[in-house]
Amino acid sequence: GKTWVRAAGGARCRSTCHNGPWTKGSKSDHSEQRWQAAKEPQGGSGGDKRKDATKAVQCKPPLAAKPPAPAPEAPPPPKTAPAPAPASAPAVTPAQLMKERRPGLCDGRVVLGLGAALEHLASLAPATETLTCFHSVRAPSVSIRDYLLRIHRLFGCSLECYILSLVYIDRVIQRCPNVAVSALSTHRLLLSSVMLAAKFHDDRFYSNKFYAKAGGLPMEELNGLERSMLRLLDHKLFVRKEEFELYHAMICKAAGSET
């Protein structure tokens, strides 16, 4: 048998013996095609869309991992003075000073020569002298040479500072005749002049607190000696090459007479 079904646009006939397509009516065929097209979503079937989406996800390149953040650079060390020498450092002997080698200088003899020159000047001091800020009430118990060896051991300054020290002491004496190198004034003149030379010449130097402790003076007194010497020098610490070589030769000559 056949079954007639009424549909929009006319009658159509289909067979009940099988599940085949429509067999009657041109208009019905077009309606069936439109009905089949309406069931399928535009752009292809849902399965095709899922396949395309899966392919798109698979083909998408993986995200590149973020590089690790660089480690922060350590801050540069502050430009400070080196650590102070311990008070228990071994004393430097004249024999050890003679073994020191420095190009252009008479080696460790610079320290010995400065000590010999100051001792010679102190021996020429008058019996009566005018007291200044560089004079002590009584002569220190430590000798000039031992005091200089202590400064050399603790200050750690360059050998050029000892030559500049003698230049500064000589300039102070010339500008102020009341200041004389004697047993009462040599220690303070030596401490102040070497400290100024280290601050002017060397790249690294200590604080006045350390210099005062190494020299055996209160820091306030050493600060006053520094100001007084700078005022007497008119704040002129530069030494010409010819003048430096002259005092260098004098120190080496004094050191040679001792050895």
Side-chain angles (χ1 to χ4, degrees):
K2 298 182 179 180
T3 303
W4 291 90
V5 180
R6 183 161 182 90
R12 55 186 177 180
C13 177
R14 65 180 178 181
S15 174
T16 59
C17 297
H18 60 84
N19 296 328
W22 302 107
T23 57
K24 294 292 184 178
S26 58
K27 291 185 179 180
S28 300
D29 294 340
H30 291 296
S31 299
E32 178 67 18
Q33 291 176 2
R34 287 195 299 269
W35 179 75
Q36 290 290 343
K39 291 197 304 179
E40 296 181 0
Q42 295 182 358
S45 63
D48 294 340
K49 276 193 171 183
R50 286 192 296 271
K51 289 181 182 179
D52 294 342
T54 304
K55 291 181 180 179
V57 172
Q58 293 177 353
C59 296
K60 186 177 181 179
L63 296 176
K66 294 183 178 180
E73 297 182 358
K79 188 176 181 181
T80 57
S88 59
V92 181
T93 61
Q96 293 175 343
L97 288 176
M98 294 297 296
K99 295 180 181 180
E100 292 188 10
R101 299 295 175 185
R102 282 292 304 277
L105 295 175
C106 55
D107 308 328
R109 291 177 294 173
V110 170
V111 181
L112 297 178
L114 177 59
L118 292 177
E119 286 180 346
H120 177 69
L121 292 175
S123 63
L124 301 178
T128 59
E129 53 184 323
T130 304
L131 298 181
T132 64
C133 62
F134 297 101
H135 287 76
S136 58
V137 177
R138 57 182 178 271
S141 58
V142 60
S143 64
I144 296 175
R145 178 173 299 188
D146 292 340
Y147 191 70
L148 181 58
L149 292 178
R150 173 184 173 86
I151 290 177
H152 175 71
R153 173 167 56 94
L154 297 179
F155 279 25
C157 57
S158 61
L159 295 178
E160 289 83 357
C161 293
Y162 299 100
I163 302 176
L164 295 176
S165 171
L166 184 59
V167 176
Y168 297 158
I169 292 175
D170 195 19
R171 288 180 179 179
V172 169
I173 295 174
Q174 292 177 11
R175 291 178 61 90
C176 182
N178 292 333
V179 179
V181 177
S182 64
L184 299 177
S185 63
T186 305
H187 295 74
R188 285 174 167 78
L189 287 172
L190 181 60
L191 178 63
S192 305
S193 59
V194 175
M195 182 182 68
L196 284 179
K199 291 184 177 181
F200 177 75
H201 180 269
D202 292 353
D203 294 331
R204 292 179 178 270
F205 50 85
Y206 299 119
S207 63
N208 281 23
K209 182 178 181 180
F210 173 80
Y211 287 130
K213 185 176 181 179
L217 292 178
M219 187 178 64
E220 293 77 10
E221 184 177 356
L222 182 60
N223 292 341
L225 295 177
E226 182 182 20
R227 290 192 297 267
S228 299
M229 181 166 284
L230 283 173
R231 185 174 62 254
L232 293 174
L233 294 173
D234 197 18
H235 296 268
K236 296 179 180 178
L237 302 180
F238 177 76
V239 177
R240 299 189 310 273
K241 180 180 179 181
E242 298 78 9
E243 188 178 9
F244 181 87
E245 292 177 351
L246 175 62
Y247 283 86
H248 178 209
M250 293 171 55
I251 288 178
C252 290
K253 184 178 179 180
S257 62
E258 290 294 317
T259 56

XYZ file of all heavy atoms in Angstrom, residues 155-246:
745
model
N 98.907 52.839 61.158
C 98.298 53.691 60.128
C 98.178 52.975 58.794
O 97.202 53.151 58.078
C 99.103 54.979 59.964
C 98.792 56.019 61.002
C 98.290 55.664 62.241
C 99.019 57.356 60.753
C 98.011 56.610 63.204
C 98.741 58.321 61.706
C 98.240 57.948 62.934
N 99.184 52.210 58.416
C 99.151 51.527 57.122
C 99.170 52.466 55.932
O 98.665 52.111 54.863
N 99.741 53.643 56.082
C 99.766 54.605 54.976
C 100.965 54.322 54.066
O 101.853 53.533 54.394
C 99.829 56.036 55.518
S 101.209 56.370 56.606
N 100.979 54.975 52.926
C 102.065 54.784 51.963
C 103.346 55.443 52.468
O 103.325 56.329 53.340
C 101.673 55.366 50.608
O 101.423 56.757 50.722
N 104.484 55.044 51.898
C 105.772 55.612 52.303
C 105.890 57.084 51.915
O 106.625 57.841 52.562
C 106.911 54.808 51.682
C 107.042 53.345 52.150
C 108.180 52.654 51.414
C 107.244 53.263 53.651
N 105.167 57.499 50.886
C 105.208 58.904 50.496
C 104.676 59.822 51.602
O 105.074 60.990 51.683
C 104.393 59.122 49.219
C 105.026 58.547 47.960
C 104.754 57.078 47.774
O 104.118 56.480 48.663
O 105.171 56.517 46.748
N 103.786 59.287 52.431
C 103.210 60.124 53.491
C 104.270 60.568 54.492
O 104.171 61.666 55.056
C 102.099 59.359 54.206
S 100.657 59.029 53.175
N 105.296 59.756 54.715
C 106.334 60.125 55.687
C 107.226 61.240 55.129
O 107.699 62.091 55.884
C 107.149 58.895 56.060
C 106.313 57.812 56.691
C 105.878 56.715 55.945
C 105.911 57.905 58.017
C 105.094 55.731 56.514
C 105.117 56.922 58.595
C 104.705 55.836 57.840
O 103.911 54.871 58.405
N 107.427 61.231 53.823
C 108.186 62.330 53.217
C 107.356 63.609 53.256
O 107.863 64.695 53.588
C 108.581 61.968 51.778
C 109.412 60.682 51.763
C 109.346 63.107 51.119
C 109.767 60.187 50.387
N 106.074 63.514 52.945
C 105.200 64.685 53.023
C 105.107 65.196 54.462
O 104.987 66.409 54.683
C 103.809 64.336 52.503
C 103.704 63.965 51.019
C 102.273 63.558 50.683
C 104.158 65.116 50.141
N 105.157 64.293 55.418
C 105.102 64.705 56.818
C 106.259 65.626 57.173
O 106.070 66.662 57.834
C 105.118 63.466 57.719
O 105.266 63.820 59.076
N 107.468 65.278 56.733
C 108.620 66.127 57.012
C 108.495 67.479 56.299
O 108.885 68.521 56.849
C 109.907 65.418 56.590
C 111.217 66.139 56.892
C 111.356 66.396 58.389
C 112.413 65.350 56.369
N 107.938 67.472 55.093
C 107.729 68.732 54.369
C 106.762 69.633 55.142
O 107.004 70.836 55.310
C 107.204 68.458 52.946
C 106.895 69.765 52.225
C 108.219 67.652 52.147
N 105.670 69.072 55.626
C 104.682 69.869 56.365
C 105.265 70.412 57.666
O 105.015 71.579 58.031
C 103.443 69.020 56.659
C 102.706 68.555 55.430
C 101.860 67.436 55.468
C 102.840 69.213 54.220
C 101.174 67.016 54.354
C 102.162 68.785 53.091
C 101.334 67.683 53.152
O 100.657 67.260 52.031
N 106.032 69.598 58.384
C 106.633 70.063 59.644
C 107.601 71.215 59.373
O 107.625 72.218 60.102
C 107.338 68.891 60.360
C 106.302 67.869 60.845
C 108.160 69.399 61.538
C 106.906 66.628 61.462
N 108.380 71.096 58.322
C 109.317 72.169 57.991
C 108.584 73.446 57.605
O 109.007 74.562 57.962
C 110.230 71.704 56.862
C 111.454 72.591 56.689
O 111.786 73.329 57.643
O 112.077 72.568 55.611
N 107.473 73.334 56.882
C 106.694 74.521 56.506
C 106.094 75.189 57.744
O 106.061 76.425 57.831
C 105.578 74.122 55.533
C 106.050 73.752 54.134
C 104.868 73.386 53.255
N 105.269 73.035 51.895
C 104.435 72.651 50.935
N 103.133 72.584 51.188
N 104.878 72.352 49.738
N 105.612 74.394 58.686
C 105.040 74.970 59.908
C 106.102 75.728 60.695
O 105.854 76.841 61.206
C 104.400 73.850 60.757
C 104.048 74.364 62.150
C 103.154 73.312 60.070
N 107.292 75.161 60.787
C 108.372 75.832 61.526
C 108.755 77.143 60.851
O 109.020 78.153 61.517
C 109.583 74.889 61.652
C 109.222 73.669 62.515
C 110.782 75.607 62.254
C 110.318 72.624 62.561
N 108.787 77.172 59.536
C 109.159 78.387 58.824
C 108.083 79.466 58.966
O 108.401 80.654 59.052
C 109.397 78.062 57.348
C 110.624 77.194 57.088
C 110.791 76.845 55.629
O 110.106 77.405 54.756
N 111.693 75.924 55.329
N 106.828 79.081 58.973
C 105.751 80.063 59.069
C 105.500 80.498 60.509
O 104.985 81.592 60.734
C 104.459 79.479 58.467
C 104.514 79.293 56.956
C 103.214 78.669 56.463
N 102.084 79.544 56.764
C 101.619 80.486 55.962
N 102.212 80.703 54.795
N 100.571 81.208 56.295
N 105.812 79.640 61.460
C 105.577 79.972 62.876
C 106.846 79.617 63.655
O 107.023 78.453 64.053
C 104.375 79.209 63.409
S 103.968 79.606 65.121
N 107.742 80.585 63.902
C 109.002 80.280 64.623
C 108.788 79.783 66.043
O 109.692 79.152 66.614
C 109.735 81.626 64.612
C 109.118 82.400 63.492
C 107.698 81.966 63.443
N 107.618 80.060 66.637
C 107.374 79.584 67.997
C 107.253 78.061 68.065
O 107.450 77.470 69.135
C 106.102 80.220 68.562
C 106.260 81.709 68.800
O 107.361 82.207 69.026
N 105.147 82.439 68.725
N 106.919 77.453 66.949
C 106.804 75.990 66.905
C 108.180 75.424 66.571
O 108.699 75.642 65.475
C 105.764 75.532 65.873
C 105.688 74.013 65.835
C 104.406 76.140 66.175
N 108.751 74.687 67.500
C 110.072 74.091 67.304
C 109.969 72.589 67.530
O 109.154 72.115 68.339
C 111.097 74.703 68.271
N 110.770 71.842 66.792
C 110.822 70.388 66.962
C 111.650 70.101 68.208
O 112.849 70.371 68.259
C 111.433 69.707 65.730
C 111.534 68.203 65.960
C 110.599 70.006 64.498
N 110.984 69.580 69.224
C 111.654 69.274 70.486
C 111.058 68.004 71.056
O 110.140 67.396 70.471
C 111.504 70.439 71.484
O 110.141 70.612 71.827
N 111.559 67.601 72.217
C 111.030 66.406 72.871
C 109.584 66.587 73.299
O 108.858 65.600 73.475
C 111.908 66.053 74.070
N 109.143 67.839 73.466
C 107.772 68.113 73.888
C 106.788 68.221 72.724
O 105.584 68.025 72.924
C 107.727 69.410 74.711
C 108.542 69.435 76.011
C 108.437 70.811 76.663
C 108.086 68.344 76.970
N 107.262 68.551 71.542
C 106.354 68.836 70.414
C 106.442 67.836 69.272
O 105.546 67.808 68.416
C 106.649 70.232 69.855
O 107.962 70.282 69.337
N 107.489 67.018 69.225
C 107.691 66.162 68.058
C 106.567 65.153 67.884
O 106.118 64.900 66.753
C 109.042 65.423 68.176
O 110.075 66.382 68.364
C 109.316 64.608 66.934
N 106.081 64.565 68.943
C 105.068 63.510 68.826
C 103.767 64.055 68.234
O 103.186 63.428 67.323
C 104.803 62.900 70.211
C 105.984 62.193 70.790
N 107.073 62.869 71.307
C 106.254 60.865 70.936
C 107.966 61.996 71.757
N 107.487 60.771 71.547
N 103.333 65.220 68.708
C 102.093 65.788 68.168
C 102.281 66.299 66.741
O 101.373 66.186 65.912
C 101.592 66.896 69.091
C 100.940 66.392 70.381
C 100.603 67.535 71.320
N 99.717 67.123 72.403
C 100.116 66.464 73.473
N 101.417 66.148 73.611
N 99.255 66.118 74.418
N 103.430 66.884 66.461
C 103.700 67.312 65.083
C 103.743 66.115 64.139
O 103.214 66.178 63.017
C 105.037 68.074 65.028
C 105.055 69.482 65.611
C 106.495 70.016 65.656
C 104.172 70.411 64.794
N 104.344 65.043 64.565
C 104.439 63.846 63.727
C 103.069 63.230 63.495
O 102.714 62.881 62.349
C 105.378 62.837 64.394
C 105.629 61.529 63.644
C 106.249 61.801 62.280
C 106.519 60.613 64.465
N 102.285 63.107 64.543
C 100.947 62.513 64.404
C 100.069 63.347 63.480
O 99.391 62.809 62.582
C 100.309 62.377 65.784
C 98.884 61.826 65.830
C 98.850 60.401 65.297
C 98.333 61.883 67.252
N 100.075 64.664 63.654
C 99.217 65.532 62.834
C 99.663 65.547 61.378
O 98.829 65.495 60.462
C 99.232 66.953 63.408
O 98.868 66.957 64.771
N 100.967 65.613 61.150
C 101.463 65.724 59.774
C 101.259 64.420 58.992
O 100.883 64.450 57.811
C 102.944 66.108 59.787
O 103.708 65.144 60.496
N 101.496 63.280 59.623
C 101.273 62.002 58.925
C 99.791 61.805 58.634
O 99.415 61.304 57.561
C 101.846 60.832 59.751
C 101.509 59.495 59.095
C 103.360 60.959 59.891
N 98.921 62.191 59.555
C 97.488 62.058 59.323
C 97.042 62.936 58.145
O 96.275 62.486 57.275
C 96.718 62.446 60.582
C 95.217 62.305 60.460
S 94.333 62.826 61.948
C 94.661 64.595 61.911
N 97.525 64.189 58.090
C 97.171 65.061 56.967
C 97.716 64.509 55.654
O 97.046 64.567 54.618
C 97.720 66.470 57.213
C 96.975 67.335 58.219
C 97.655 68.700 58.358
C 95.518 67.520 57.801
N 98.937 63.978 55.679
C 99.524 63.421 54.456
C 98.731 62.219 53.961
O 98.520 62.057 52.749
C 100.978 63.037 54.716
N 98.275 61.367 54.884
C 97.491 60.200 54.482
C 96.151 60.621 53.875
O 95.696 60.054 52.880
C 97.274 59.285 55.682
N 95.529 61.638 54.466
C 94.250 62.111 53.929
C 94.422 62.787 52.570
O 93.529 62.708 51.717
C 93.592 63.081 54.914
C 93.093 62.440 56.191
C 92.381 63.455 57.064
C 91.805 62.823 58.311
N 91.084 63.811 59.153
N 95.542 63.447 52.380
C 95.750 64.168 51.128
C 96.258 63.255 50.018
O 95.847 63.407 48.854
C 96.759 65.294 51.364
C 97.113 66.074 50.116
C 96.229 66.993 49.580
C 98.325 65.875 49.477
C 96.542 67.695 48.426
C 98.653 66.579 48.328
C 97.763 67.489 47.800
N 97.117 62.314 50.340
C 97.791 61.531 49.306
C 97.134 60.178 49.043
O 96.972 59.791 47.880
C 99.257 61.319 49.698
C 100.042 60.520 48.694
N 100.156 59.140 48.767
C 100.744 60.902 47.595
C 100.896 58.704 47.760
N 101.256 59.744 47.034
N 96.765 59.462 50.096
C 96.272 58.091 49.926
C 94.798 58.083 49.556
O 94.036 58.992 49.901
C 96.488 57.290 51.213
C 97.968 57.035 51.491
O 98.802 57.373 50.621
O 98.281 56.517 52.574
N 94.410 57.032 48.837
C 93.010 56.871 48.453
C 92.148 56.445 49.633
O 90.969 56.783 49.706
C 92.885 55.842 47.326
C 93.549 56.318 46.038
O 93.606 57.542 45.826
O 94.021 55.468 45.259
N 92.708 55.688 50.544
C 91.965 55.208 51.705
C 92.671 55.659 52.973
O 93.895 55.568 53.069
C 91.834 53.681 51.688
C 90.942 53.159 50.564
C 90.872 51.640 50.598
N 89.988 51.121 49.568
C 88.683 50.903 49.736
N 88.134 51.159 50.915
N 87.932 50.433 48.767
N 91.886 56.080 53.913
C 92.446 56.507 55.186
C 91.400 56.266 56.258
O 90.234 55.964 55.985
C 92.849 57.990 55.148
C 91.785 58.901 54.620
C 90.786 59.392 55.454
C 91.765 59.252 53.276
C 89.795 60.224 54.968
C 90.775 60.086 52.775
C 89.792 60.572 53.625
N 91.835 56.401 57.514
C 90.974 56.128 58.650
C 90.289 57.411 59.123
O 90.530 58.506 58.620
C 91.778 55.511 59.792
C 92.422 54.182 59.440
C 93.808 54.031 59.469
C 91.653 53.087 59.091
C 94.392 52.818 59.151
C 92.228 51.879 58.771
C 93.602 51.739 58.805
O 94.168 50.546 58.492
N 89.456 57.241 60.126
C 88.786 58.385 60.738
C 89.686 58.978 61.815
O 90.635 58.358 62.290
C 87.455 57.943 61.349
O 87.682 56.997 62.386
N 89.354 60.198 62.217
C 90.125 60.847 63.281
C 90.013 60.089 64.600
O 90.936 60.136 65.423
C 89.647 62.286 63.461
C 90.229 63.214 62.403
O 90.626 62.766 61.332
N 90.287 64.494 62.696
N 88.926 59.393 64.797
C 88.771 58.612 66.025
C 89.816 57.515 66.090
O 90.418 57.269 67.152
C 87.360 58.014 66.074
C 87.072 57.219 67.331
C 85.634 56.710 67.321
C 85.347 55.923 68.596
N 83.933 55.403 68.607
N 90.049 56.853 64.952
C 91.072 55.802 64.928
C 92.470 56.397 65.071
O 93.308 55.868 65.814
C 90.971 55.013 63.621
C 92.091 54.021 63.436
C 92.063 52.805 64.077
C 93.169 54.324 62.624
C 93.089 51.889 63.916
C 94.194 53.418 62.456
C 94.158 52.198 63.105
N 92.746 57.496 64.364
C 94.066 58.114 64.454
C 94.350 58.587 65.889
O 95.478 58.476 66.373
C 94.167 59.286 63.488
C 94.279 58.881 62.040
C 93.441 59.439 61.072
C 95.214 57.954 61.631
C 93.542 59.061 59.738
C 95.315 57.566 60.300
C 94.483 58.129 59.366
O 94.583 57.751 58.053
N 93.328 59.110 66.546
C 93.525 59.568 67.924
C 93.823 58.393 68.854
O 94.700 58.479 69.734
C 92.290 60.324 68.402
N 93.116 57.291 68.656
C 93.363 56.120 69.496
C 94.746 55.541 69.232
O 95.448 55.125 70.171
C 92.284 55.070 69.231
C 92.371 53.864 70.139
C 91.215 52.903 69.878
C 91.295 51.698 70.819
N 90.164 50.750 70.589
N 95.151 55.502 67.964
C 96.482 54.979 67.636
C 97.582 55.890 68.161
O 98.652 55.414 68.565
C 96.609 54.810 66.122
N 97.331 57.208 68.161
C 98.345 58.154 68.626
C 98.334 58.416 70.111
O 99.248 59.076 70.628
N 97.311 57.902 70.814
C 97.255 58.087 72.258
C 96.767 59.454 72.694
O 97.154 59.935 73.767
N 95.923 60.094 71.881
C 95.382 61.414 72.220
C 93.861 61.377 72.172
O 93.278 60.574 71.427
C 95.886 62.486 71.243
C 97.370 62.854 71.283
C 97.662 63.891 70.197
C 97.768 63.381 72.651
N 93.196 62.244 72.934
C 91.741 62.366 72.776
C 91.405 62.887 71.380
O 92.168 63.656 70.787
C 91.345 63.371 73.868
C 92.475 63.370 74.844
C 93.713 63.077 74.048
N 90.275 62.470 70.866
C 89.899 62.864 69.508
C 89.699 64.373 69.412
O 90.032 64.984 68.382
C 88.630 62.134 69.078
C 88.265 62.353 67.616
S 86.799 61.458 67.080
C 85.541 62.240 68.097
N 89.150 65.002 70.433
C 88.947 66.456 70.385
C 90.281 67.188 70.283
O 90.397 68.189 69.553
C 88.177 66.920 71.626
C 86.740 66.424 71.714
C 86.645 64.975 72.141
O 87.705 64.418 72.548
O 85.552 64.390 72.061
N 91.286 66.711 70.988
C 92.600 67.354 70.911
C 93.225 67.164 69.542
O 93.823 68.106 68.977
C 93.520 66.795 71.997
C 94.891 67.473 72.052
C 95.756 66.965 73.180
O 95.265 66.128 73.976
O 96.920 67.403 73.268
N 93.082 65.957 68.963
C 93.634 65.722 67.628
C 92.914 66.572 66.583
O 93.551 67.084 65.642
C 93.530 64.239 67.270
C 94.107 63.834 65.915
C 95.593 64.169 65.835
C 93.879 62.353 65.641
N 91.622 66.767 66.729
C 90.892 67.633 65.804
C 91.418 69.063 65.864
O 91.563 69.740 64.831
C 89.403 67.624 66.126
C 88.757 66.280 65.842
O 89.308 65.460 65.100
N 87.598 66.040 66.441
N 91.728 69.532 67.072
C 92.288 70.877 67.201
C 93.680 70.987 66.609
O 94.016 71.999 65.965
N 94.501 69.940 66.766
C 95.835 69.954 66.157
C 95.742 69.961 64.631
O 96.527 70.639 63.954
C 96.640 68.741 66.631
C 96.994 68.684 68.126
C 97.723 67.383 68.446
C 97.838 69.879 68.536
N 94.783 69.232 64.103
C 94.604 69.201 62.643
C 94.207 70.579 62.120
O 94.738 71.049 61.095
C 93.553 68.160 62.272
C 93.337 68.012 60.776
C 92.253 67.013 60.453
O 91.411 66.712 61.350
O 92.210 66.530 59.311
N 93.298 71.238 62.780
C 92.889 72.577 62.352
C 94.040 73.572 62.463
O 94.241 74.405 61.558
C 91.690 73.045 63.184
C 90.396 72.311 62.896
C 89.220 73.017 63.542
N 89.340 73.029 64.997
C 88.805 72.108 65.797
N 88.131 71.098 65.278
N 88.943 72.204 67.109
N 94.807 73.469 63.541
C 95.937 74.397 63.716
C 96.998 74.194 62.639
O 97.514 75.173 62.078
C 96.546 74.213 65.111
O 95.600 74.491 66.126
N 97.306 72.938 62.325
C 98.325 72.697 61.301
C 97.830 73.136 59.930
O 98.609 73.699 59.136
C 98.719 71.216 61.302
C 99.792 70.869 60.272
S 100.554 69.247 60.520
C 101.651 69.611 61.908
N 96.591 72.903 59.621
C 96.047 73.358 58.339
C 96.079 74.882 58.236
O 96.362 75.435 57.159
C 94.622 72.845 58.160
C 94.450 71.376 57.761
C 92.985 70.980 57.792
C 95.049 71.121 56.384
N 95.792 75.552 59.330
C 95.828 77.015 59.315
C 97.262 77.521 59.130
O 97.497 78.466 58.363
C 95.234 77.557 60.613
C 95.127 79.085 60.637
C 94.408 79.576 61.861
N 95.119 79.227 63.089
C 94.730 78.263 63.929
N 93.651 77.543 63.672
N 95.423 78.007 65.018
N 98.230 76.879 59.796
C 99.624 77.286 59.635
C 100.150 76.979 58.231
O 100.996 77.693 57.701
C 100.499 76.601 60.685
C 100.258 77.036 62.144
C 101.090 76.187 63.090
C 100.586 78.524 62.320
N 99.654 75.927 57.627
C 100.042 75.582 56.259
C 99.246 76.363 55.215
O 99.517 76.214 54.013
C 99.854 74.081 56.011
C 100.768 73.138 56.803
C 100.346 71.685 56.580
C 102.226 73.331 56.385
N 98.311 77.169 55.655
C 97.439 77.922 54.755
C 96.669 76.974 53.830
O 96.365 77.313 52.690
C 98.252 78.935 53.934
C 97.371 80.007 53.308
O 96.225 80.165 53.785
O 97.823 80.663 52.354
N 96.395 75.790 54.344
C 95.644 74.764 53.605
C 96.333 74.382 52.289
O 95.657 73.907 51.363
C 94.215 75.226 53.329
C 93.406 75.425 54.578
N 92.623 74.449 55.145
C 93.290 76.512 55.398
C 92.032 74.905 56.224
N 92.421 76.154 56.410
N 97.608 74.546 52.208
C 98.368 74.192 51.002
C 99.155 72.930 51.299
O 100.232 72.971 51.897
C 99.286 75.340 50.596
C 98.544 76.608 50.197
C 99.502 77.736 49.832
C 98.762 78.999 49.438
N 99.679 80.121 49.112
N 98.626 71.809 50.851
C 99.250 70.508 51.099
C 99.960 69.947 49.880
O 100.621 68.910 49.990
C 98.187 69.506 51.578
C 97.406 69.897 52.841
C 96.388 68.817 53.181
C 98.348 70.142 54.004
N 99.847 70.600 48.759
C 100.504 70.096 47.553
C 102.004 70.325 47.633
O 102.468 71.373 48.092
C 99.934 70.781 46.310
C 100.608 70.361 45.031
C 100.335 69.129 44.462
C 101.526 71.204 44.404
C 100.951 68.741 43.290
C 102.149 70.824 43.239
C 101.863 69.585 42.669
N 102.775 69.334 47.180
C 104.237 69.398 47.191
C 104.724 69.168 45.766
O 104.338 68.177 45.121
C 104.833 68.343 48.146
C 106.356 68.373 48.105
C 104.341 68.570 49.570
N 105.544 70.064 45.285
C 106.082 69.923 43.935
C 107.060 68.749 43.873
O 107.616 68.308 44.893
C 106.796 71.206 43.501
C 105.899 72.424 43.467
C 106.634 73.604 42.812
N 107.954 73.799 43.385
C 108.204 74.528 44.467
N 107.196 75.121 45.113
N 109.431 74.671 44.915
N 107.287 68.271 42.665
C 108.154 67.113 42.471
C 109.582 67.413 42.934
O 110.213 66.575 43.591
C 108.155 66.710 40.996
C 109.039 65.513 40.692
C 108.990 65.160 39.212
C 109.907 63.980 38.908
N 109.896 63.644 37.449
N 110.116 68.601 42.613
C 111.479 68.943 43.010
C 111.613 68.993 44.525
O 112.603 68.508 45.093
C 111.888 70.284 42.395
C 111.908 70.302 40.866
C 110.524 70.433 40.261
O 109.562 70.693 41.046
O 110.394 70.277 39.025
N 110.619 69.563 45.194
C 110.655 69.639 46.652
C 110.541 68.251 47.274
O 111.227 67.939 48.263
C 109.520 70.538 47.141
C 109.563 70.846 48.625
C 108.450 71.779 49.054
O 107.543 72.043 48.221
O 108.472 72.248 50.208
N 109.701 67.421 46.700
C 109.549 66.064 47.217
C 110.855 65.283 47.095
O 111.264 64.581 48.035
C 108.429 65.344 46.455
C 108.168 63.936 46.919
C 107.298 63.693 47.966
C 108.778 62.867 46.289
C 107.058 62.395 48.396
C 108.546 61.571 46.705
C 107.676 61.327 47.762
N 111.512 65.382 45.957
C 112.768 64.662 45.764
C 113.856 65.183 46.693
O 114.715 64.408 47.153
C 113.207 64.783 44.300
C 112.299 64.045 43.325
C 112.715 64.251 41.877
O 113.611 65.111 41.645
O 112.167 63.576 40.993
N 113.837 66.467 46.999
C 114.837 67.024 47.913
C 114.683 66.437 49.314
O 115.675 65.990 49.926
C 114.697 68.543 47.958
C 115.603 69.285 48.966
C 117.070 69.060 48.630
C 115.273 70.776 48.994
